[in-house]
Amino acid sequence: MTNPVQLSKKELNKVFWRSYQALGCYTYDKQQGISYMRALLPALQKLYPDPEDLKEALIRHNVMFNTTCAFVPFCLGITCAMEEEYANAPEGTFDPQSISSVKIALMGPLAGIGDSFFWGTFRVIGVGVGAPLAVAGNILGPILYFLINFIPSEIVRRVGFKIGYEGGSEFLTRISE
């Protein structure tokens, strides 16, 4: 067997920073799918130097994907870990369809949780705190509104990506138990 390919911090950082563009190429048929595939590109290029393998991976990820933007890095982290596992697995021992299955399984629940928290809770609290201050002419109003929305989202993004990548597919097994 050849030397195992492992994603470096450089590729993982590129994937993470590209996750902020989850709505950058939103289409009706694939929703965030194209942006998700684009975010994975640095990792896929490292894992699959053979053009045919890279093409197969790009086709695998050029599908519909949609969840709350704050949870996109978590999904990307798990996908990176699973793609790394697949790239290093002996032929026929890892089903690449499981990568797509995990993405599909995470989309709905994370969207429901994320929309409830980020759109239904933090945004409402931010408006409740910030709007009266802003109406009174206090600059602290818009700042508090921004911080109440931004800080939880950033924590979920950064910690989620780390947990997703480090846990990989084992994370899902542990949670289901």
Side-chain angles (χ1 to χ4, degrees), residues 39-67:
L40 278 174
L41 193 57
L44 296 176
Q45 288 173 326
K46 169 86 179 263
L47 294 171
Y48 305 111
D50 177 44
E52 286 303 312
D53 292 339
L54 178 61
K55 179 181 175 183
E56 177 189 318
L58 291 172
I59 290 170
R60 183 170 48 251
H61 293 291
N62 189 19
V63 294
M64 195 283 268
F65 181 82
N66 189 33
T67 195

Side-chain angles (χ1 to χ4, degrees), residues 58-103:
L58 291 172
I59 290 170
R60 183 170 48 251
H61 293 291
N62 189 19
V63 294
M64 195 283 268
F65 181 82
N66 189 33
T67 195
T68 302
C69 290
F71 285 120
V72 169
F74 174 70
C75 297
L76 284 168
I78 289 177
T79 302
C80 284
M82 292 182 77
E83 285 289 353
E84 190 175 77
E85 187 178 341
Y86 176 56
N88 292 312
E91 187 80 26
T93 60
F94 188 99
D95 182 13
Q97 184 59 39
S98 65
I99 300 169
S100 299
S101 298
V102 167
K103 278 175 39 180

Side-chain angles (χ1 to χ4, degrees), residues 4 10 35 62 64 75-76 108 113 118 121 141 143-144 163 170:
K10 178 182 176 183
S35 298
N62 189 19
M64 195 283 268
C75 297
L76 284 168
I113 293 167
F118 296 104
T121 303
I143 292 170
L144 284 174
I163 289 171
E170 290 85 32

Side-chain angles (χ1 to χ4, degrees), residues 12-46:
L12 292 172
N13 281 335
K14 284 182 180 180
V15 170
F16 174 77
W17 287 110
R18 287 178 175 212
S19 75
Y20 283 95
Q21 300 168 351
L23 297 175
C25 188
Y26 193 89
T27 63
Y28 288 111
D29 61 335
K30 294 186 180 160
Q31 298 185 357
Q32 297 170 336
I34 295 170
S35 298
Y36 192 91
M37 180 186 64
R38 182 188 178 281
L40 278 174
L41 193 57
L44 296 176
Q45 288 173 326
K46 169 86 179 263

Side-chain angles (χ1 to χ4, degrees), residues 43 60 89 110 114 153 166:
R60 183 170 48 251
L110 291 179
S153 175
E166 290 176 357

